[in-house]
Amino acid sequence: MAESRRSSDSPSRPERQRSPLVALTIARVLVFLREPGAIFWVFVFPVLLAIGLGVAFREQPPEPARVAVDVADPHAAELVELLGGAAGVQVVQLDRVTLDAQLAKGTVDLAVAFTPPDRFDYRFDPSRSEARVARLVVDAAVQRALGREDVATISEHTEIPPGSRYIDFLLPGLIAMNLMGSGLWGVGYAVVQERKGKLLRRFAVTPMRRSDFLLSFILSRLVFLVIEVVALVGFGALVFDVTVQGSALDVAVLCFVGGLSFTGVSVLIASRTESVEVASGLMNLVMLPMWILSGTFFSYERFPEAVHPVLQALPLTALNDSLRAVMNEGAGLASQLPELAVLAAWGVIPFAIALKLFRWR
């Protein structure tokens, strides 16, 4: 009788247990959602940054050449009259001290003096592109005013090709930079915090595998990757009319591999670090050089050509280049295999090393 009762109370089949990796990943996601500060830095801050930079570098009509004339010049009125009607020229009269100061600061591009009947003196800084352009514009206006005739017929085409604006260049860089920041801080910082709070010691006495523990951080970050990328791309499309020229699936694959590369580096940083301060320093040491060198806000081609191979081997550079190629040029994923190889190497190799080095205490 008792045996029959025990048989009826027991389940007819073994209860299906949830995978430790799945349970840990869900826990990481829930913990993240309870942190308003983390949500702000991952989702809101990149949009605010895109707004600020997009407005600052929005498409505007070309600024006129800023030309200064010394008010004490006895022929200043003639010079102002001569240049005042020229297209693309803005003339101001300043005293000599103010003129010299503004010319040094770049507030004015060119200083002009006139000695009748036909002598003009130009003062400008040849290292500034605006000053060189102002010199050409003013000289053309002066020569035409004095009777020069253009013998060549010129036709101008001023169309802006898709994907060539600064905001088109900037948005893929912001996506990549956000993936790097959320990958490094969202994974490495959290692991070190749990080690400092003695939580990892409790995990050490469980049958949990270190690979499950570390992968749960990585997978939880990838859950939010979709939201991060869609938010930035959608914002760019709605506010700045940014169009993805290539395949959305290719963009998703690049972001997925890029996210994995940064989380792999982050896990390596956190594998033995015990102090939050040390972890912060190491992550800044990794991120700050790439912010400057990897072409997020300006092209890394401004650096000497000899260092380009080194810069192209950085994960942020590879992700920037591949995202811009797909989003702005419509390139296919097959053409980005070198960049994908760089990203995969930065994800797999550091993670494999971290598995060897990781300790619970």
Side-chain angles (χ1 to χ4, degrees):
M1 189 75 172
E3 184 177 346
S4 173
R5 185 167 55 250
R6 283 198 302 270
S7 176
S8 63
D9 291 341
S10 62
S12 58
R13 57 182 178 181
E15 184 179 353
R16 186 176 180 182
Q17 293 184 346
R18 178 182 290 174
S19 164
L21 179 57
V22 173
L24 284 169
T25 302
I26 293 174
R28 304 296 171 211
V29 171
L30 294 176
V31 168
F32 178 85
L33 292 175
R34 294 172 184 170
E35 296 289 341
I39 294 174
F40 171 82
W41 287 109
V42 171
F43 299 117
V44 180
F45 177 73
V47 172
L48 295 179
L49 188 61
I51 292 174
L53 292 173
V55 170
F57 295 98
R58 67 191 183 278
E59 294 298 315
Q60 302 182 74
E63 293 187 2
R66 296 164 296 182
V67 179
V69 175
D70 187 349
V71 71
D73 187 332
H75 304 288
E78 300 173 57
L79 189 55
V80 170
E81 183 179 358
L82 186 148
L83 295 176
V89 178
Q90 180 183 7
V91 185
V92 294
Q93 298 186 64
L94 303 171
D95 62 81
R96 185 56 183 263
V97 175
T98 305
L99 187 153
D100 290 343
Q102 293 199 10
L103 190 63
K105 294 178 181 178
T107 309
V108 297
D109 302 318
L110 182 73
V112 183
F114 174 48
T115 304
D118 57 6
R119 179 181 177 82
F120 293 83
D121 295 314
Y122 301 146
R123 285 196 300 134
F124 64 99
D125 179 0
S127 65
R128 296 181 58 245
S129 59
E130 297 90 344
R132 296 196 303 272
V133 171
R135 193 263 185 215
L136 295 174
V137 170
V138 169
D139 189 64
V142 167
Q143 300 295 346
R144 288 194 181 97
L146 295 181
R148 185 189 74 179
E149 295 183 2
D150 297 330
V151 296
T153 302
I154 307 297
S155 62
E156 297 182 348
H157 304 276
T158 58
E159 295 87 354
I160 300 176
S164 63
R165 301 172 301 166
Y166 180 70
I167 187 62
D168 298 315
F169 174 87
L170 176 67
L171 190 64
L174 289 181
I175 292 172
M177 187 184 71
N178 194 48
L179 292 177
M180 178 179 70
S182 61
L184 288 172
W185 288 101
V187 176
Y189 195 81
V191 173
V192 175
Q193 270 192 319
E194 292 197 2
R195 180 179 288 118
K196 186 177 180 180
K198 312 300 182 184
L199 293 176
L200 297 192
R201 292 186 176 183
R202 299 182 181 181
F203 292 138
V205 297
T206 69
M208 181 191 305
R209 294 179 299 180
R210 65 179 67 182
S211 59
D212 285 345
F213 176 75
L214 296 177
L215 280 172
S216 69
F217 284 95
I218 294 176
L219 293 178
S220 66
R221 297 307 310 142
L222 294 179
V223 168
F224 296 104
L225 180 147
V226 177
I227 304 174
E228 296 173 35
V229 175
V230 169
L232 278 172
V233 174
F235 172 80
L238 290 174
V239 178
F240 296 109
D241 197 27
V242 174
T243 304
V244 177
Q245 304 296 324
S247 166
L249 179 61
D250 291 350
V251 173
V253 171
L254 290 172
C255 290
F256 177 78
V257 179
L260 287 177
S261 71
F262 295 122
T263 52
V265 174
S266 182
V267 167
L268 177 59
I269 291 174
S271 60
R272 287 193 172 236
T273 307
E274 298 181 1
S275 167
V276 171
E277 292 75 17
V278 173
S280 299
L282 290 174
M283 284 185 280
N284 283 322
L285 182 64
V286 170
M287 290 193 302
L288 291 178
M290 285 196 283
W291 280 352
I292 299 170
L293 302 174
S294 292
T296 299
F297 302 106
F298 58 88
S299 175
Y300 63 82
E301 292 182 358
R302 291 175 176 266
F303 295 103
E305 189 173 353
V307 302
H308 287 182
V310 177
L311 301 183
Q312 290 166 348
L314 297 174
L316 186 59
T317 307
L319 187 54
N320 282 337
D321 286 349
S322 56
L323 282 176
R324 288 185 179 123
V326 173
M327 294 179 65
N328 296 338
E329 302 169 18
L333 197 62
S335 66
Q336 304 307 305
L337 290 180
E339 287 78 10
L340 284 170
V342 171
L343 293 172
W346 278 102
V348 173
I349 296 174
F351 184 77
I353 297 173
L355 284 178
K356 298 292 184 181
L357 298 180
F358 181 81
R359 63 184 182 187
W360 296 104
R361 300 175 185 273

